[in-house]
Amino acid sequence: MSQLKALIFDVDGTLADTERDGHLVAFNMAFEEAGLDWHWSVELYGDLLAVTGGKERIRYYLTDFYPTERGSEFSAPAVTDEEFTDFVAQLHAAKTRFYTQLMAEGAVPLRPGVTRFINEAREAGLRMAIATTTTPANVTALLTHTLGAESLDWFEVIAAGDIVPAKKPAADIYIYALDKMNLKADECLAFEDSYNGLMSSHGADLKTIVTVNGYTNDHDFSEATLVLSDLGEPDQAMKVLQGSCDDTYFSLASAEKI
Ligand code: XBP
Ligand code: MG
């Protein structure tokens, strides 16, 4: 690897374990507010996470799961593509409103080692960026209510959501972040939590550190440089699940050895 110049972080599942206690709760709150009898269980949501992007996930549910749930009497309502697109967009906007409220209430803390590592990178003058599928408002809410509003300036690029034509596992979002930072992939290190995320960062030729979570610990991380339980803390050792690192916690010294 060339000299490490920048760290690029995924958000959901990596900076914070936001899916089960954040996004899933917000989706169900939006369905209830809209008077829909949909309720996504923790287990069903795990299946739905195969598709990134909340709007895309709602469509995936409606095409691949809803008809089976409703049985033989189900017949899709006759709506135009534009009406369907508007319906999904409005439902997703409500979900985002609920999600940002949950972040403001402190529903989801940052994962172990994230604050420590980000502060270490800042003190070392390392550049940082975000590359996420989630909506920009959600990134703002999470960072503001965990690291403080000033933290938004610590990331010179916040590449999020619909800013690129193809979401993860496509490499678009990481290529966009590298382009905006005018950096080459071998000058950076990516941090991810899922197969889709790793396919995206790997597709942009980025070495990637994966920290698993409840929804992703059985994913295929063959292309990862390291797979960890989390980034660890001095008093809370990380577990190395794939690759080699004999440090108690992941630090810039760990990154330099890669
Ligand atoms: C995870 C996603 C997002 C969230 C939901 O993003 O796939 O779609 O699940 O957020 P990442 P939205 O791991 O890349 O951070 O509803 O705003 O899409
Ligand atoms: Mg993720």
Side-chain angles (χ1 to χ4, degrees):
M1 171 185 248
S2 302
Q3 185 208 352
L4 181 63
K5 292 182 181 170
L7 307 175
I8 308 177
F9 294 95
D10 165 53
V11 175
D12 296 303
T14 299
L15 293 185
D17 210 351
T18 52
E19 293 295 356
R20 190 195 63 193
D21 298 337
H23 292 296
L24 173 57
V25 174
F27 275 114
N28 284 327
M29 290 170 80
F31 301 154
E32 185 176 1
E33 181 188 67
L36 298 166
D37 66 349
W38 313 350
H39 184 83
W40 291 353
S41 66
V42 170
E43 187 184 12
L44 169 62
Y45 193 65
D47 296 333
L48 295 173
L49 279 172
V51 169
T52 65
K55 295 188 290 295
E56 296 79 355
R57 194 166 299 141
I58 292 170
R59 286 175 175 268
Y60 178 45
Y61 166 68
L62 287 173
T63 54
D64 288 49
F65 295 82
Y66 186 81
T68 309
E69 279 180 2
R70 266 45 187 185
S72 56
E73 73 278 7
F74 173 71
S75 60
V79 294
T80 65
D81 285 351
E82 189 179 352
E83 285 166 333
F84 183 60
T85 298
D86 289 347
F87 164 72
V88 171
Q90 285 172 35
L91 194 55
H92 188 251
K95 175 263 176 182
T96 300
R97 171 167 37 90
F98 285 121
Y99 180 84
T100 53
Q101 284 170 2
L102 287 166
M103 292 304 104
E105 293 160 9
V108 184
L110 296 184
R111 295 193 63 187
V114 169
T115 302
R116 169 190 56 74
F117 187 55
I118 285 174
N119 284 332
E120 182 188 3
R122 289 179 61 221
E123 284 152 23
L126 227 55
R127 298 164 65 183
M128 294 190 288
I130 296 273
T132 176
T133 306
T134 197
T135 305
N138 293 344
V139 181
T140 300
L142 176 70
L143 293 179
T144 299
H145 297 293
T146 54
L147 294 172
E150 68 278 6
S151 67
L152 293 168
D153 295 332
W154 302 347
F155 302 90
E156 63 184 85
V157 176
I158 297 183
D162 297 327
I163 203 162
V164 289
K167 291 186 167 79
K168 298 175 184 177
D172 296 40
I173 198 77
Y174 279 102
I175 291 168
Y176 174 91
L178 288 169
D179 181 56
K180 285 290 178 192
M181 296 174 89
N182 193 25
L183 287 173
K184 298 193 293 295
D186 69 359
E187 298 173 308
C188 305
L189 193 56
F191 294 79
E192 269 288 350
D193 74 296
S194 68
Y195 174 76
N196 280 333
L198 175 59
M199 286 301 99
S200 179
S201 58
H202 182 68
D205 294 324
L206 284 156
K207 285 185 185 290
T208 305
I209 309 297
V210 167
T211 50
V212 300
N213 55 63
Y215 276 129
T216 69
N217 52 30
D218 63 347
H219 285 195
D220 173 5
F221 293 124
S222 310
E223 304 300 345
T225 303
L226 267 181
V227 180
L228 307 171
S229 56
D230 49 55
L231 294 179
E233 298 286 10
D235 60 353
Q236 183 184 328
M238 66 184 179
K239 296 184 187 67
V240 179
L241 307 174
Q242 181 186 304
S244 63
C245 177
D246 53 13
D247 299 328
T248 302
Y249 55 88
F250 194 86
S251 67
L252 288 182
S254 313
E256 296 297 343
K257 289 183 244 177
I258 285 171

